[in-house]
Amino acid sequence: MDFKAQTGLLGLTKDELRALCKELKLPAFKGDILFGWLQQGVVDYNAMTNLSRKDREQLAALYPLSLPQVIKEQVSKDGTTAKLLLDYGADNYDNPQRVQIELVIMLYNRRESRSRHTLCISTQAGCAMGCAFCATGLSGLHRNLTAGEIVAQVLTGKLWLNRHGLGEVTNLVYMGMGEPFANYQQVMQSLRIINHPDGLNLGQRRVTVSTCGLVPEIKRFADEAAEFGLAISLHAPNDELRSRLMPINRRYGLADLMAACDYYTAKTNRRISYEYALLQGVNDGKEQAQALAELLGGKLAHVNLIPVNFVEETGFLPSPAETLNEFAAILNSRGIETTVREKRGSDIDGACGQLRRNHNR
Ligand code: SAH
Ligand code: SF4
């Protein structure tokens, strides 16, 4: 078998690494040392110089380690977005399809403040949710990523930024390929790891998870007693249209979804971001803006309007700027805080909904 990323240890929390060391008859503090190295993106045991040679050899024999390979790298013309194609290798001979995902890095260099670099993280290879406008769903779900594979992705992004002299990852959005809440446990485990102060230390308020609306998991997420941000892919203000665009709405309708959102807000007191991609002539009318204002009125909400990104196979067109501005104006006039998401990275198909795992089109 050729290359296969070995990310198992990256999926363990600091406490779990301590426990593992104890099992190996090593002092627990060596788990702390290991966690420190791993979370800096060091996966070569030889470089872990404050572990003895014997420890390093034992660990290397039991737990081989490697990050995914970056097999393609693109930077948008305006220099604001990079997209890396990551290859984790194939799982085994019986399942020879390679696990490949796209990692998007959004670079913000505001002169007046320090730079902000946001990674857009994938949680599944493919997606089973089948939203009508999205490229990721087109070829279905290959498989869930493990927590180790998700953390390896963050580390790959971190090393890329470091290598280009751009500093550190400051923010994460779980808005890449896949539905995070369809892979709940591994996603939650990855969040705990990247949040740890002795590791990447990405604060909960700097991490946002986006879902198409899996109601039980939204509630579970609210119950985690954490402050990770939540974004909801809404895209329609009524059940009839939403069910047409997003099959998940046939399982959990808008009333259930909004109740789960209220529960999250009550538990966390955090504002939810609602993503709304404007599809020309489909969901961008004035009456739909009014209906959306009705739906979100009185809630701790922020609407992100996105001109839909072009995906050849879906046939949807982005609404013209005028329509977009009118839509935003209606929401703002009704007291719903709204921003028009700046379009970035579309020349490298690195924008929302353009990520796919099949590159041999
Ligand atoms: N599965 C999760 C997270 C990944 S999708 C979710 O659906 O929320 C990330 C975001 O891109 C979602 O808000 C999704 O609705 C949006 N999106 C999908 N296809 C798009 C497209 N063609 N143009 C603009 N946004 C799109
Ligand atoms: Fe999956 Fe999100 Fe795309 Fe829907 S929008 S198909 S949930 S990745």
Side-chain angles (χ1 to χ4, degrees), residues 59-284:
L59 286 164
L62 289 171
Y63 305 103
L65 263 178
S66 56
L67 292 175
Q69 289 178 335
V70 180
I71 57 174
K72 192 167 163 191
E73 190 175 314
Q74 291 164 277
V75 179
S76 66
K77 285 198 204 89
D78 62 5
T80 61
T81 310
K83 186 169 82 165
L84 311 184
L85 176 61
L86 306 188
D87 181 28
Y88 290 81
D91 288 334
N92 50 53
Y93 286 111
D94 297 332
N95 189 5
Q97 194 180 7
R98 305 188 79 79
V99 174
Q100 295 185 342
I101 61 98
E102 297 185 310
L103 170 65
V104 175
I105 307 175
M106 291 170 277
L107 308 162
Y108 305 77
N109 280 310
R110 296 208 185 94
R111 233 169 268 132
E112 62 281 13
S113 63
R114 63 191 182 84
S115 347
R116 205 179 108 185
H117 302 307
T118 302
L119 301 185
C120 183
I121 297 299
S122 296
T123 56
Q124 301 182 304
C127 183
M129 297 295 150
C131 302
F133 41 79
C134 175
T136 302
L138 284 175
S139 46
L141 175 66
H142 176 190
R143 73 158 168 79
N144 284 335
L145 297 186
T146 63
E149 287 169 334
I150 297 171
V151 172
Q153 213 178 124
V154 180
L155 293 172
T156 305
K158 169 200 157 60
L159 294 176
W160 188 90
L161 286 169
N162 296 165
R163 209 168 45 246
H164 288 79
L166 294 168
E168 291 300 327
V169 179
T170 58
N171 297 72
L172 289 188
V173 290
Y174 279 53
M175 289 190 189
M177 295 167 67
E179 167 49 48
F181 285 171
N183 185 16
Y184 189 89
Q185 271 176 317
Q186 298 299 312
V187 164
M188 213 50 233
Q189 172 85 350
S190 75
L191 290 172
R192 281 186 212 107
I193 294 168
I194 52 109
N195 179 230
H196 199 287
D198 298 340
L200 287 159
N201 194 19
L202 280 157
Q204 301 190 355
R205 291 179 163 265
R206 295 199 268 142
V207 180
T208 299
V209 179
S210 176
T211 178
C212 65
L214 296 180
V215 164
E217 283 75 18
I218 293 172
K219 292 190 188 143
R220 202 168 155 195
F221 193 59
D223 285 333
E224 298 281 353
E227 289 191 319
F228 296 108
L230 179 65
I232 302 287
S233 295
L234 197 57
H235 306 307
N238 61 60
D239 278 318
E240 190 270 319
L241 181 58
R242 195 164 192 270
S243 293
R244 254 198 298 140
L245 296 173
M246 304 178 72
I248 189 69
N249 198 69
R250 298 173 208 155
R251 192 155 18 129
Y252 305 110
L254 275 176
D256 287 348
L257 176 59
M258 296 324 289
C261 289
D262 289 344
Y263 182 74
Y264 170 88
T265 308
K267 279 276 190 167
T268 63
N269 203 26
R270 288 213 62 185
R271 188 176 71 166
I272 295 178
S273 292
Y274 293 90
E275 312 290 309
Y276 196 103
L278 286 166
L279 313 165
Q280 185 177 17
V282 177
N283 66 354
D284 63 350

Side-chain angles (χ1 to χ4, degrees), residues 268-328:
T268 63
N269 203 26
R270 288 213 62 185
R271 188 176 71 166
I272 295 178
S273 292
Y274 293 90
E275 312 290 309
Y276 196 103
L278 286 166
L279 313 165
Q280 185 177 17
V282 177
N283 66 354
D284 63 350
K286 289 191 183 124
E287 29 343 302
Q288 280 142 337
Q290 297 288 2
L292 184 59
E294 209 59 50
L295 187 70
L296 299 180
K299 296 191 192 302
L300 214 49
H302 181 101
V303 174
N304 265 320
L305 292 179
I306 319 159
V308 74
N309 294 306
F310 183 67
V311 177
E312 197 178 305
E313 297 89 331
T314 66
F316 293 111
L317 294 173
S319 309
E322 249 174 33
T323 314
L324 192 76
N325 292 336
E326 267 175 37
F327 201 96

